[in-house]
Amino acid sequence: MENVETIDSVCTYCGVGCDIAANVKDNKIQNIFAHPDGVVSQGKLCIKGKYGFDFVDSSERLRIPRIKKSFLQKNPEIRDEIASTLSELDGVWYETTLDGATTAASMKLKEVQAKYGRKSVCSIGGARTSCESSYLFQKFTRHTLNSPHVDNCARVCHSPSLKGMRTTIGEGAATNPYNDIYNCEFMVVIGSNTTEAHPIISNRILDVAREHDNLAVFDVREIKLHRFSKYKAIIPHEANLLVLNMLAYTIIDEELYSEEFIADRTKGFAEFKEKILNDPYANPKYFENIEGYEHLSKMIPKVAREYALKKSMIFWGLGITEHIDGSYAVMAITHLALMTGNVGKEGAGLMPLRGQNNVQGTCDMGMLPYYDPDYQEPKEVGLMTPQLVDEMLEGRVKAVLNIGEDLSHIHPNLNKIDKAFDNLEMIFVQELFMTDIANRADIVVGVKSAYEKTGVYVNAMRRLHLSQPLVKSDLPDDWEVLQILDNKMGGTANYKNSNDVWDEVREVAYRRFSGASYIRLERHRKRGLQWPVHTEDTPILHQLDFRTDDGLGEFHYHQYKLRGMIEEILNKSLTGYHLTTGRTLAHYNNAAQTKQSEKLNSRYDEDVLLVYEGDAADFTSAQVILKTEFGQTNPLTIKLTDKVQPKTLFSTFHHAKSKINNIFGDKSDELILTAAFKSIKVEVINC
């Protein structure tokens, strides 16, 4: 192609973090592909990475800042101050300039804090933007606004992974590079529909499983991975901790554990062993009483034996974390690795499959209420998002700053969130499109997408990639908007470019990033560098010590609590339907970007409800509404299948119009408040 430039960068979608290259002509992306020698992609991309770039040029891109007319009616002094910047857009919005939008926001922030106190402001989001912007988001909030309330969308996905892993091994991140999959002898996948959610990782899993027949897959429904698994384990809803403790029980009961590893590198095993052997729920024979799942009583010990006696890896996703015992289930996963020595070595480790393109990096940057950058202790611990929603309802939080997290779509109990947002005096959003939360906001600023800016992103295996612009844009980066706001709020931020911000990150978060300069990241753009990066990077963690205070891994036993579907089966009272949720390959989370690509959206333009074909008699119409005490969905089209279990349902949550999250309440992880999205009992209403 004439006048075509090929530019290397990193994919904007999931936590796999694929290296990409784009052919660009006349400042327009022509196509995207993966380098044959790309370390992450291995020369392959999923359909989102390959075709999901149309959003960059979409006519729906938010290019001019907006401010709501109703906001200015309530705030006449702000209206007077920025009047010269305003122009009519429609009945709801004025358009304004970046200066006008940030002036309005800074005036309102000052007023809110003067009236309600410094903690009346919170910042939420950032896992879709770069490390530089996430770092400045938390710094601006904590230091300039002096509010401890910062959080990001890890709250609704992998916060339990961070909590569970830090409690047991001192570090809440994947222990090995993806390519170690080729060095392992046995694989366990639990609560991850990997082919749909992390397809380029699943390519590796499938390569190895086809050749060695060494894969065990646990899920509440039949997924594509099951076709290639040696152990096809369909488990009841909310049974993760039950199953994981049973795996541990078998390893202990049959003395398959590594005495040497336990003695040298762990503590607390004797107490753990006593508790598990005396736990009636931990013996796999318990499944003999659970109708329809009796076969698991024999399958679980077989999986445990292979896992313990081979070099093994465990992979998990939101099917583990989005439960009331998500953090405890992650601890149970790490217990298995600690007992058998399946961590800290090549081909053996722990792989939480992170969701967003930079959710690992955003957490590393301190965009969490209980961690500063580098997971240090903050001077003041703030509140988590669900707690902040309660504070909004109580009238103590009055302003929200938001970057790239569709709060009124992806969070649970949306009717409650609507009431909470009605109590706010300002919502300020930085976005690419008029998402659900952008439409709820008072001030919205359009910003650069990942394909239009320079920045560091950290993928699910701790690998840093320096993204560079594929096309030029005159929109601001997120950190540039924050710097303007900071200066108007009395701050002294004075970064000339994203490299300036990153160099500060390298000083503040030196334990992980001191050696990861832009120059080195540019040189290794296709390979990336895995933190911690000092003189060299660190592909495998915990080879000598765990990252706990004394370097020892810790056992923290937690007993499964009988509840939900299993309790109903035992009591012969399994009635109604249990819903679980997940992703589909064509879309990403709230679909803000993917639905702008016709090639993607045409494959899946609505959320579909999967229903077991044997339950067809209960579904007398083409569409149904799902209802709980918290709210109801909009009508969902049903699809009969044999891939879900009797009396269970599955739906995606990509399209805001479905209102899937209306039906979830405040039930959440007991330690870290991640919403229990993976199982809820619903009433079915035929339309």
Side-chain angles (χ1 to χ4, degrees), residues 415-482:
N415 289 320
K416 178 181 176 180
I417 284 178
D418 282 346
K419 290 192 186 85
F421 285 177
D422 285 344
N423 259 3
L424 295 173
E425 294 192 13
M426 185 181 75
I427 302 175
F428 178 86
V429 169
Q430 295 174 210
E431 255 300 353
L432 308 185
F433 297 98
M434 291 303 292
T435 59
D436 205 72
I437 185 62
N439 278 303
R440 287 293 305 263
D442 300 291
I443 306 169
V444 192
V445 175
V447 290
K448 285 176 174 164
S449 72
Y451 291 161
E452 296 161 317
K453 64 187 182 185
T454 301
V456 175
Y457 295 83
V458 186
N459 76 355
M461 62 165 173
R462 301 174 283 110
R463 192 179 292 276
L464 287 72
H465 278 106
L466 179 59
S467 179
Q468 64 179 331
L470 303 179
V471 292
K472 297 179 180 68
S473 169
D474 56 5
L475 289 168
D477 199 344
D478 286 306
W479 70 263
E480 293 175 302
V481 178
L482 292 168

Side-chain angles (χ1 to χ4, degrees), residues 62-80:
L62 178 61
R63 300 192 184 277
I64 301 170
R66 299 180 182 187
I67 188 161
K68 214 164 240 172
K69 291 180 175 179
S70 57
F71 174 78
L72 292 179
Q73 284 167 358
K74 293 175 194 165
N75 297 277
E77 68 291 344
I78 295 177
R79 184 187 59 212
D80 294 345

Side-chain angles (χ1 to χ4, degrees), residues 389-414:
V389 171
D390 289 337
E391 291 290 286
M392 294 171 206
L393 287 167
E394 296 293 325
R396 288 188 286 270
V397 166
K398 301 299 284 187
V400 174
L401 306 177
N402 169 254
I403 295 179
E405 182 176 341
D406 199 353
L407 299 173
S408 52
H409 173 181
I410 67 162
H411 283 265
N413 210 345
L414 292 184

Side-chain angles (χ1 to χ4, degrees), residues 42-59:
Q42 300 180 306
K44 299 171 185 171
L45 295 176
C46 80
I47 57 172
K48 291 188 291 292
K50 198 171 182 181
Y51 300 118
F53 58 83
D54 293 2
F55 70 89
V56 174
D57 293 318
S58 169
S59 60

